[in-house]
Amino acid sequence: MPELIPFRWPAEWKDASRLELIKGTPINCLVGDVRPPFPLGDLQFFPNDGLPADIAVREGAWPRVLLAATKKDAAEAGATGAPWVDSNAGLIRIAQLMEPGKPVWLSTRPPAGKEVVPLEEFARAVAEACTYGARWMIAPDGPFRGELEKRGETGLREWKRVVSALNLFDRHPEWRSWAPVAALAVVSDFAGDNKLMAEEFLILAPRRHLAYRAIRKADAAKASLSGVKAILYLDGAPPEGEIREKFLEFARAGGLLISPRGVVAEEPKETFLNYRIHRLGKGRVAVPKEAWYDPFLLVAEVQLLLSNRENVVQVWNGGSMNSHLLASPKNDRAVVHLIPYSSGRTQAVTLGFSKPYRSARICTLDGEKVVRPVRGQIGTEVPVGEFSTYAAVELEA
Amino acid sequence: MRSCDSVFPWSRRQWLAVAASGLTGVARAAAPSSKVALARCRAYGKAVTPALRRMFDQLGGIGRLVSGKTVAIKINMANPLLARTGHTPAWFTRWSHPDVIGAAVQLFGEAGATRIRILESSTEDDNPLEENFLIGGWDPAPLLTAAPHVEMENTGSLGYGKKYHRITVPEKPYIYPGFDVNHSYVECDVLVSISKLKEHLKAGLSLSLENMVGIIPPAIYGDAAPYDDPSPRSYGARTMLHTGHRQPSATAPAEVDQATPREFGYRVPRVIADIVRARPVNLAIIDGIETQTTAEVAALEPGDKRQIRLVKPGILVVGWNPVCTDAVAAAAIGFDPMADRGKAPFENCDSMLKVAEEAGIGTRDLSKIEMVGAALREVGFPFRG
């Protein structure tokens, strides 16, 4: 059965001619309050209150840099002092972790009221969800709907970009099966008292391009740690039993274990940042001096404990942008998804990789181009250039 | 005061304050002069160390300066760390190139320095400085082994120190009577400024003098600095130095006279003169092998008619005195170091060279500076020519 690609059908659209909009696009199912009063052909229909049970639906955020409501052109300061970004990366990955195997749909609606939503943001919402292996229930709300109804030039141009984003991912179904590349594994039960810190970590880590692989504590004993250089054990109490032994063995073999106090008995020999560092075999165990309380600070500390040397992607001139690196099972092909959360064109973006790649193809909503990776002082650099809304960088080793 | 005319919208109150401060452009004792070496060095890599060695020799040798001493090197690694001019790494455009830093470290080690500390602050983090090299895309490991006992420190906050140290302007400060800085700038015997040969959008030049603004910790002087105690973490641009819109955290010295002009072009040259008098530079090295014109930033504001060009002047400038060294470097890129406000590169500000000269730091008059090595006319590379 093909993957369902949803579109919220406005109840006001009672004319079958409106179907022209989605004809020939990858959209294959409609969602709405009432079934449209005309034949739908191959399209499936689901009422809002009757979505398939095997789909994990989450109400996400409208993906963008949040502008201060009262200050024109001023970005809302986030935890970092940098602009606050509403992103669904963490939300989607948490949903995938907690409900494995289920497709994830975002039910996000564009901001309503007096707020003006740039139409280009609709394509971003599609691309962002696809980047992380989810689907946005495309909602042509507000002025966008008005533009589409009158078949205005601006509306149709932006709709074309929405479809362009869907088509791009449709042409690359393999991306959806590739695994995130990360040197960090984040382990937690993501429940109870641990839920807030663990989830916030997953939500905030992409802001620093800190790639991770999330593992549920229940799966940790059997989980592969291939390629992992550090484990962050994000529960209030240290690991016990089989997991503890596995993680300590990981450290002895040269890895870094970041864990609450109590995981090792010996006195630490050194400190780094707010951590006591225990040497264990060829590796290290880092124990915070005080309980974690600030997830963004924790993200920054983990990145330094691990070192920026282990960043799987470095993004220059990225601004408020997420990057997401996925690799094929043989590790001979990879793709980096880039989502700028600001409107307009980016600066000239450059990506850096510790792994050497021999070719790179840049896919944007406006077209594709091949660029030659260049040797950087550390690893390989790919000059992506300027783009808007979304870019995928396909890499071959 | 010739530089104050109708172009500068100062209030009468500000005028009176400046006049009363006795700093109306009258030179004090003759500013000192010292040798400046100029050299052609067309590329980074292996050519840098012999070029720098020859320049040190031309200056009379660095042994007396660094032997048995702790040498602090203030490099230039301007924020944002992830900004590039186009796709070009920042060490070719805005930052001191690590090959120049590494060559200096090696030569200081060979000359007997007992401890060499590479220093820079950041307005966006308090990462170990090694991490900021990695963020820029450069592996710092070879720098740390270029000589024995090499260390790095991010000086934007306390860093590895336990407390801030006060440095004081010895005589008649322009703006600040002193500054509270990271321990590294006090717990050293020698301070070396390694800067990039570049212009500054508003201050005219960003050379070894302007590089010293980076010793001022954002934890106290940054936009996010608390009003009472310093922030535990470094964050925020040092806007108060430019605008005077607020004072540093209360633990640090406030301005001597808050009635002086709150104008960038007045303040910044004087703040720089205050910093360099409070913490003198013992050796200035300017990396002009590759750089960019026009600005110290990676991109101009939309609508700015100026253009940043990537250029390869292929020159190094080294001297004992930062004013003399900057004057020669300014001349090498086609500017008259005697230019006053209103003339390039000081179209929008007072000349930091003139202010520093008047403060007695060093002369900017090329006729009084002994230049050794390559001739200016041979290596000159006019930025606006």
Side-chain angles (χ1 to χ4, degrees):
Chain A
M1 184 181 162
E3 186 198 358
L4 292 171
I5 301 174
F7 179 89
R8 285 185 187 271
W9 190 262
E12 296 82 357
W13 287 8
K14 293 176 177 159
D15 184 344
S17 66
R18 300 276 182 215
L19 281 176
E20 284 297 315
L21 197 64
I22 57 174
K23 192 176 171 185
T25 74
I27 294 166
N28 57 14
C29 75
L30 306 183
V31 177
D33 290 332
V34 289
R35 187 180 182 90
F38 44 78
L40 296 179
D42 294 336
L43 291 168
Q44 295 192 58
F45 177 83
F46 299 103
N48 279 323
D49 55 1
L51 296 177
D54 64 347
I55 288 173
V57 181
R58 295 289 186 276
E59 187 179 345
W62 187 248
R64 58 178 171 164
V65 170
L66 201 63
L67 291 176
T70 54
K71 237 177 161 182
K72 194 181 171 213
D73 294 337
E76 191 82 48
T80 59
W84 184 268
V85 171
D86 271 344
S87 155
N88 294 300
L91 180 81
I92 295 168
R93 296 192 63 187
I94 293 163
Q96 291 163 336
L97 182 74
M98 303 312 282
E99 298 188 58
K102 281 190 177 182
V104 177
W105 285 8
L106 297 181
S107 61
T108 321
R109 307 301 290 248
K114 290 181 179 173
E115 194 171 341
V116 177
V117 180
L119 299 192
E120 67 185 82
E121 294 190 353
F122 286 78
R124 181 194 297 145
V126 170
E128 190 211 36
C130 291
T131 286
Y132 294 99
R135 293 290 178 183
W136 175 48
M137 297 162 67
I138 300 167
D141 290 358
F144 192 26
R145 186 192 304 171
E147 283 292 317
L148 292 174
E149 285 170 354
K150 69 180 184 193
R151 303 192 71 76
E153 187 185 337
T154 313
L156 290 177
R157 186 179 67 231
E158 293 307 324
W159 176 251
K160 203 173 158 190
R161 287 170 65 78
V162 166
V163 174
S164 178
L166 289 170
N167 284 335
L168 180 54
F169 283 90
D170 202 42
R171 288 198 301 275
H172 295 281
E174 71 278 11
W175 292 349
R176 296 177 80 79
S177 63
W178 292 357
V181 180
L184 174 70
V186 180
V187 181
S188 173
D189 60 10
F190 297 95
D193 291 344
N194 305 319
K195 183 178 167 70
L196 181 64
M197 179 61 77
E199 290 192 352
E200 283 297 310
F201 185 93
L202 300 195
I203 288 167
L204 293 171
R207 293 294 296 114
R208 297 182 70 98
H209 301 282
L210 177 59
Y212 59 80
R213 192 193 305 174
I215 300 172
R216 284 195 301 185
K217 189 160 75 175
D219 304 326
K222 290 180 182 166
S224 164
L225 296 176
S226 170
V228 171
K229 303 271 178 73
I231 297 169
L232 171 63
Y233 186 79
L234 245 179
D235 277 8
E240 296 175 332
E242 193 182 1
I243 299 176
R244 176 177 180 273
E245 287 313 308
K246 177 175 177 165
F247 289 176
L248 290 178
E249 189 50 42
F250 168 82
R252 284 188 200 98
L256 166 66
L257 171 61
I258 306 166
S259 167
R261 181 186 292 204
V263 69
V264 284
E266 303 85 34
E267 279 301 302
K269 292 275 192 305
E270 57 191 284
T271 61
F272 180 72
L273 303 172
N274 295 315
Y275 290 78
R276 296 185 172 89
I277 307 295
H278 304 257
R279 296 281 169 183
L280 193 66
K282 296 178 186 170
R284 295 173 294 157
V285 178
V287 175
K289 291 176 186 171
E290 295 167 13
W292 294 310
Y293 65 94
D294 178 343
F296 194 80
L297 187 59
L298 177 58
V299 171
E301 289 172 347
V302 168
Q303 193 163 37
L304 292 175
L305 284 163
L306 180 60
S307 174
N308 284 280
R309 195 182 290 279
E310 303 297 343
N311 290 350
V312 294
V313 186
Q314 188 72 280
V315 184
W316 290 286
N317 288 349
S320 300
M321 182 182 292
N322 270 15
S323 61
H324 189 45
L325 173 63
L326 303 160
S328 67
K330 287 184 184 171
N331 213 18
D332 56 343
R333 294 176 64 202
V335 63
V336 186
H337 298 287
L338 298 172
I339 316 271
Y341 286 89
S342 302
S343 295
R345 287 184 79 73
T346 65
Q347 302 271 334
V349 172
T350 303
L351 300 183
F353 306 92
S354 53
K355 183 180 167 72
Y357 290 103
R358 61 183 171 81
S359 75
R361 176 185 294 273
I362 318 295
C363 310
T364 69
L365 303 188
D366 303 311
E368 298 187 5
K369 66 176 179 180
V370 173
V371 297
R372 182 190 292 272
V374 297
R375 197 172 152 201
Q377 204 271 342
I378 305 172
T380 309
E381 294 185 4
V382 174
V384 175
E386 297 178 12
F387 61 93
S388 56
T389 311
Y390 167 79
V393 182
E394 283 192 291
L395 301 155
E396 283 192 29
Chain B
M1 185 170 177
R2 215 180 62 189
S3 65
C4 295
D5 53 33
S6 59
V7 176
F8 311 111
W10 294 357
S11 67
R12 177 176 167 73
R13 187 161 164 267
Q14 288 170 327
W15 261 106
L16 292 172
V18 173
S21 71
L23 299 173
T24 50
V26 180
R28 303 164 197 195
S33 176
S34 64
K35 262 188 206 174
V36 175
L38 196 55
R40 167 74 73 202
C41 184
R42 292 193 186 279
Y44 294 108
K46 289 178 182 173
V48 178
T49 305
L52 209 51
R53 188 194 309 275
R54 196 164 48 249
M55 297 173 87
F56 288 166
D57 289 344
Q58 288 164 342
L59 291 175
I62 53 166
R64 273 186 304 174
L65 182 70
V66 304
S67 180
K69 306 279 179 59
T70 294
V71 178
I73 303 176
K74 166 65 178 70
I75 62 168
N76 192 332
M77 188 187 273
N79 297 93
L81 299 172
L82 287 168
R84 285 186 168 186
T85 309
H87 297 294
T88 306
W91 48 86
F92 292 117
T93 60
R94 301 181 292 126
W95 294 358
S96 326
H97 195 287
D99 284 352
V100 176
I101 302 166
V105 168
Q106 181 190 330
L107 295 171
F108 295 153
E110 288 175 7
T114 49
R115 193 175 174 212
I116 300 166
R117 311 198 71 240
I118 299 169
L119 311 173
E120 176 58 301
S121 61
S122 170
T123 58
E124 54 191 281
D125 61 75
D126 55 354
N127 294 345
L129 186 55
E130 291 89 334
E131 290 291 324
N132 288 350
F133 272 91
L134 290 166
I135 289 170
W138 191 276
D139 186 348
L143 292 176
L144 295 165
T145 55
H149 311 297
V150 182
E151 302 159 9
M152 292 188 178
E153 185 163 343
N154 180 342
T155 59
S157 55
L158 276 176
Y160 303 132
K162 298 266 188 265
K163 64 181 180 75
Y164 287 100
H165 290 250
R166 175 89 30 103
I167 56 174
T168 308
V169 182
E171 182 189 357
K172 291 187 179 175
Y174 287 115
I175 308 286
Y176 294 101
F179 304 88
D180 283 358
V181 297
N182 174 284
H183 72 103
S184 304
Y185 298 107
V186 173
E187 294 172 351
C188 64
D189 304 303
V190 175
L191 181 60
V192 180
S193 168
I194 301 186
S195 59
K196 197 72 166 177
L197 183 65
K198 63 186 177 187
E199 292 173 76
H200 191 288
L201 270 176
K202 291 202 232 167
L205 297 171
S206 176
L207 303 171
S208 51
L209 287 169
E210 202 272 341
N211 183 35
M212 290 294 287
V213 172
I215 79 168
I216 302 304
I220 299 174
Y221 300 83
D223 290 344
Y227 283 88
D228 43 10
D229 292 323
S231 165
R233 290 174 175 263
S234 166
Y235 198 85
R238 304 172 184 88
T239 313
M240 73 178 75
L241 303 187
H242 303 171
T243 63
H245 69 285
R246 58 160 287 193
Q247 298 302 309
S249 301
T251 52
E255 293 182 34
V256 287
D257 182 357
Q258 294 178 34
T260 53
R262 308 284 95 181
E263 186 229 351
F264 179 98
Y266 173 85
R267 288 178 61 84
V268 169
R270 287 164 178 79
V271 169
I272 291 171
D274 285 343
I275 295 169
V276 177
R277 281 187 292 166
R279 175 55 266 202
V281 171
N282 304 107
L283 180 67
I285 300 173
I286 302 175
D287 162 21
I289 297 172
E290 293 190 37
T291 185
Q292 67 179 31
T293 66
T294 311
E296 79 292 1
V297 292
L300 302 176
E301 292 294 321
D304 196 319
K305 288 180 181 159
R306 292 173 287 188
Q307 242 185 346
I308 295 173
R309 286 181 299 124
L310 304 183
V311 290
K312 298 182 179 180
I315 55 178
L316 288 168
V317 191
V318 180
W320 303 118
N321 183 298
V323 183
C324 303
T325 311
D326 283 9
V328 171
I333 55 176
F335 298 120
D336 176 7
M338 300 301 284
D340 212 334
R341 184 167 185 149
K343 290 186 179 170
F346 305 114
E347 289 93 339
N348 303 307
C349 58
D350 290 342
S351 160
M352 70 173 74
L353 296 176
K354 181 182 179 188
V355 172
E357 181 183 65
E358 288 173 354
I361 299 170
T363 182
R364 60 183 168 136
D365 185 345
L366 294 185
S367 69
K368 295 177 182 167
I369 299 170
E370 182 187 354
M371 284 182 269
V372 293
L376 256 179
R377 65 178 180 282
E378 291 168 9
V379 298
F381 190 96
F383 273 16
R384 301 190 194 174

